[in-house]
Amino acid sequence: GVLIGGDTLSLSAALDKKRAETVAEERKEKAKAKDTSKRNIHLARLGLTLPGDPGAEALSAAELQRRELAWKQKKDKLANPNFVVSQTRLSIRNIPTQVNEKILKQLALDALTAKGSKTSAKKEAEKGAGKGDGTSGGKGALFSRIVKHAKIVRDEARRDVRGEPRSKGFGFLEMQTHEQALTVLKALADNPDVLNDHGSPGRRLLVEFAVDSMAKLRIHEQRRQVGLQQQRRKEGGAQRKGASQANRLQEVIVTNSKQGGRQQQQQKQQQPRSQQQQQQQQQ
């Protein structure tokens, strides 16, 4: 081949204008597809039953309207490349006001440990059975290992009969893994039976993967890293303090030992003198 400045010169046929535009468009589409994959766009529609979808006939007109509105709002957000679909965080709407974070966690855990479930959470439940905190089935000990975070959004200006901020009817569940989140979504979304034991039989939850702001995620990660650093410094300080105290204790022991040795030496030196004095007095 031809060398220029030590580099091999590569030649290819020139493209006409139309073909060059086509190639440029193809590159844009590939870049867009790659960006879409990173943002988990393929998860955006999961859980949202729209008119014409299987199961839509079981929903009322009002329920379908709510899902259409949710899909429109999500599409508007995702038109901005700074938003991504979370793989582990679920958005949940149409939550009854009596449902709190503890019940929300229990719904997730029940979905993951239901008969026929093949998720790793079921194995966790079998290992952790009986180690609960008083919740049904002894599953409460699994909350922290499976449900990363649960939140009911509340209105601080309105209070319920207990004087607590009133639920706005929507919230979030964040699971430890995508597998768990997908299982919970499939079990809870549009299921008329999940709230039968919680005072709202037949009520259907609107469940979908939540949309996150990448800017907020970065801030959250930065705060998490700062928290970890502070914790490490705190632990390191405690270790250094403990080591310092141990060193001081050792110094005290050594000092006392030396002082004791000197006192014994002095006593030994004083004993012959005392004996000599006694003999002189006897003479």
Side-chain angles (χ1 to χ4, degrees):
V2 180
L3 294 176
I4 299 178
D7 296 326
T8 303
L9 180 64
S10 178
L11 300 175
S12 59
L15 301 176
D16 57 38
K17 184 178 179 181
K18 185 175 181 181
R19 178 57 183 160
E21 290 176 350
T22 302
V23 171
E25 191 63 30
E26 288 175 352
R27 288 176 179 171
K28 285 182 181 179
E29 288 298 322
K30 286 182 180 179
K32 184 177 179 181
K34 187 177 180 180
D35 178 65
T36 298
S37 176
K38 287 181 179 179
R39 296 170 61 210
N40 305 316
I41 301 298
H42 63 289
L43 301 176
R45 263 273 268 129
L46 295 183
L48 293 175
T49 303
L50 302 179
D53 290 347
E57 65 281 357
L59 302 177
S60 67
E63 288 174 325
L64 285 173
Q65 189 175 9
R66 278 196 291 269
R67 283 150 183 77
E68 286 183 290
L69 179 60
W71 178 231
K72 182 181 182 305
Q73 291 172 340
K74 179 175 276 189
K75 285 194 298 182
D76 289 343
K77 268 191 174 182
L78 293 175
N80 184 335
N82 291 317
F83 286 93
V84 299
V85 180
S86 174
Q87 290 185 312
T88 56
R89 199 166 72 98
L90 299 174
S91 168
I92 305 177
R93 310 188 202 192
N94 202 33
I95 300 175
T97 55
Q98 72 272 16
V99 170
N100 56 21
E101 284 81 359
K102 185 175 180 179
I103 294 175
L104 206 57
K105 289 180 180 180
Q106 188 65 55
L107 290 176
L109 196 59
D110 289 344
L112 290 167
T113 56
K115 185 178 180 180
S117 173
K118 297 180 180 180
T119 65
S120 57
K122 187 170 180 63
K123 295 178 182 178
E124 285 284 325
E126 291 170 352
K127 289 190 296 183
K131 298 179 182 179
D133 59 359
T135 55
S136 63
K139 302 172 184 175
L142 297 171
F143 284 170
S144 61
R145 300 205 301 270
I146 296 174
V147 182
K148 193 173 182 179
H149 184 65
K151 180 181 180 180
I152 300 289
V153 179
R154 301 181 181 278
D155 186 352
E156 294 291 337
R158 300 177 64 195
R159 301 280 166 166
D160 59 20
V161 293
R162 293 167 296 183
E164 298 177 357
R166 188 177 178 85
S167 167
K168 288 187 175 183
F170 70 94
F172 300 93
L173 265 175
E174 185 171 5
M175 314 305 296
Q176 295 288 353
T177 68
H178 174 63
E179 178 197 22
Q180 294 168 351
L182 188 59
T183 301
V184 171
L185 180 145
K186 291 178 178 179
L188 300 187
D190 297 338
N191 187 339
D193 300 323
V194 294
L195 295 172
N196 286 352
D197 296 333
H198 302 289
S200 298
R203 185 161 179 159
R204 302 174 193 265
L205 296 174
L206 195 166
V207 186
E208 58 182 322
F209 280 102
V211 174
D212 291 326
S213 163
M214 286 195 286
K216 288 184 178 180
L217 289 176
R218 281 193 293 269
I219 292 172
H220 177 74
E221 179 61 20
Q222 289 170 356
R223 289 175 177 172
R224 191 180 74 85
Q225 291 296 334
V226 169
L228 287 174
Q229 291 173 2
Q230 291 176 342
Q231 182 65 23
R232 291 193 192 104
R233 284 197 294 268
K234 185 177 180 181
E235 291 173 354
Q239 290 175 353
R240 287 192 295 272
K241 183 178 180 181
S244 177
Q245 290 176 342
N247 290 337
R248 285 199 295 270
L249 180 60
Q250 184 65 26
E251 289 173 359
V252 170
I253 293 173
V254 171
T255 301
N256 291 340
S257 177
K258 289 180 178 179
Q259 289 177 348
R262 283 196 295 268
Q263 289 175 354
Q264 289 178 355
Q265 186 65 26
Q266 290 173 356
Q267 288 174 356
K268 288 180 181 179
Q269 291 174 353
Q270 290 174 354
Q271 284 177 357
R273 294 176 184 173
S274 299
Q275 291 174 356
Q276 290 177 0
Q277 291 175 355
Q278 290 176 359
Q279 291 175 356
Q280 290 175 357
Q281 290 176 357
Q282 290 174 358
Q283 292 175 357

